[in-house]
Amino acid sequence: MAVLCKPEVAVPEYIITNDETLELAQRLHSDHPQLDLVLNLIEHTGVLKRHLIQPIEKVLKHPGFDERSVIYEAETKARVPAVVRRALNQAELEPQQIDLIIYVSCTGFMMPPPTAWLMDTMGFRPETRQLPIAQLGCAAGGAAINRAHDFCQAYPDANVLVVACEFCSLCYQPTDVGVGSLLSNGLFGDGIAAAVVRGSGGTGIRLERNGSYVIPNTEDWISYAIRSTGFHFQLDKRVPGTMEPLTPALSAVAEQHGWNAGKLDFYIIHAGGPRILDDLSHFLDVPPEAFRFSRATLTEYGNIASAVVLDAMARMFDEASALDGHRGLMAGFGPGITAEIALGTWTSDEGGRA
């Protein structure tokens, strides 16, 4: 059975606190007709700080989409390899033992994808398969785990590397002043995560079942408008209320496996915002403490898009509270509105490391 080993995560060195974000919003948008609402929403995101690949002064300038694309490629190549090496070490594997690299990012674009560059520079085999995922947004972290699981089911004993690289600050648009856009400016952060799914052996979460669900007629609730200035993030005010229609989908996947989604031992959930976690706690009827890993990611890093589920998972590994046989649910949410759902059981391997 495929085992998801401990993820590795890195956040960049530049930090902006929530207080600094509020001050910026007040200064830059002092004449906004809904400024009080915006400030209240930002204040209650649950985010204390976020990490950025550039100082906030550079982020605010927006040098143009072409220059941002140059920055995205340079920062990807500078920051991703170290995270990948640590993730491989956690799985006790070498690059030559990886059979598929899944690379997810919704905040920049490269062709050929970064997987080809990683293969050229880090010692992966030329036969290694590549699967870049660019358009699932925050759900892509969950999708990558599920596609890795599928691959290992099709090819027993295969090993898959998952990489999530998100530089959300490169999507800042100074001309976007809708409430949803301004809220996003106080919510999203930058981060990189990587993890290995081993086809055999390893300590971590043994992946057992996965599923996907799209809420009908919600494709425009989370989206990009792609213009000459780059990606313009669009967020509908109805998004925070999506856990009510999505909870039955999570429960259905668990029921197919003979599990009760509200009676599991651990939960790794995409922390899009505090209401997502609060509502899911209510509708699944689980205590708020069950989402402590996701909430910690939101508090310390903000919403780091597809990397959230991997960071929350790494926090669970660090807590070392999972015991053999503990059952859990993982879920990522993103554009569509899409839910990527996975079930797994904690397993220890004498030859592996947590």
Side-chain angles (χ1 to χ4, degrees), residues 7-19:
E8 284 291 327
V9 181
V11 290
E13 59 274 25
Y14 300 102
I15 295 173
I16 182 168
T17 67
N18 201 46
D19 287 342

Side-chain angles (χ1 to χ4, degrees), residues 27-324:
R27 176 161 53 87
L28 297 175
H29 307 288
S30 59
D31 58 348
H32 195 286
Q34 294 179 285
L35 180 60
D36 288 343
L37 172 61
V38 169
L39 295 177
N40 184 62
L41 290 171
I42 292 175
E43 188 174 3
H44 291 91
T45 56
V47 178
L48 290 183
K49 64 178 176 65
R50 295 170 292 140
H51 293 250
L52 311 172
I53 58 171
Q54 301 178 101
I56 187 62
E57 296 78 15
K58 286 191 175 182
V59 172
L60 295 174
K61 288 180 180 178
H62 193 345
F65 190 36
D66 52 351
E67 179 61 24
R68 280 188 168 177
S69 296
V70 171
I71 295 170
Y72 176 84
E73 180 171 350
E75 294 291 337
T76 296
K77 291 180 176 179
R79 298 178 186 271
V80 168
V83 183
V84 167
R85 288 190 196 97
R86 295 201 302 271
L88 290 169
N89 288 340
Q90 289 292 349
E92 297 189 329
L93 294 177
E94 298 296 329
Q96 297 87 351
Q97 295 172 279
I98 296 297
D99 302 287
L100 167 68
I101 304 173
I102 304 176
Y103 182 94
V104 300
S105 179
C106 64
T107 53
F109 182 80
M110 291 169 59
M111 191 172 76
T115 47
W117 178 82
L118 288 171
M119 289 168 63
D120 283 341
T121 57
M122 293 194 66
F124 296 97
R125 304 191 324 273
E127 298 84 5
T128 305
R129 294 170 171 89
Q130 307 171 72
L131 179 58
I133 302 176
Q135 293 160 294
L136 277 176
C138 298
I145 292 169
N146 289 347
R147 299 298 77 77
H149 181 203
D150 294 343
F151 187 84
C152 289
Q153 286 187 307
Y155 300 94
D157 297 327
N159 300 308
V160 182
L161 171 68
V162 171
V163 183
C165 178
E166 300 289 13
F167 302 143
C168 300
S169 62
L170 293 179
C171 297
Y172 169 71
Q173 298 291 348
T175 60
D176 292 353
V177 294
V179 172
S181 296
L182 296 181
L183 170 60
S184 299
N185 294 342
L187 182 62
F188 285 93
D190 298 345
I192 300 165
V196 171
V197 176
R198 287 184 53 142
S200 62
T203 289
I205 301 171
R206 185 177 68 239
L207 301 171
E208 299 188 25
R209 180 180 291 271
N210 67 65
S212 182
Y213 184 82
V214 176
I215 304 175
N217 303 312
T218 59
E219 63 270 15
D220 59 347
W221 288 20
I222 301 175
S223 63
Y224 273 164
I226 303 175
R227 303 172 186 154
S228 59
T229 45
F231 304 136
H232 290 251
F233 184 68
Q234 300 175 130
L235 182 69
D236 190 280
K237 64 182 179 181
R238 292 169 288 185
V239 168
T242 50
M243 289 305 99
E244 184 171 6
L246 282 180
T247 299
L250 272 62
S251 296
V253 172
E255 288 168 7
Q256 291 165 11
H257 203 55
W259 293 2
N260 182 335
K263 303 293 183 183
L264 300 178
D265 301 297
F266 62 87
Y267 296 85
I268 305 297
I269 305 296
H270 173 72
R275 184 177 168 188
I276 297 293
L277 300 176
D278 292 343
D279 280 5
L280 196 56
S281 172
H282 170 71
F283 291 117
L284 276 180
D285 192 23
V286 299
E289 177 70 9
F291 302 130
R292 62 191 179 278
F293 309 116
S294 302
R295 209 173 292 275
T297 298
L298 183 65
T299 298
E300 295 181 25
Y301 296 157
N303 184 341
I304 50 175
S306 64
V308 167
V309 291
L310 293 172
D311 181 75
M313 195 175 301
R315 293 171 189 272
M316 188 184 80
F317 275 79
D318 288 339
E319 187 181 85
S321 57
L323 303 175
D324 277 355

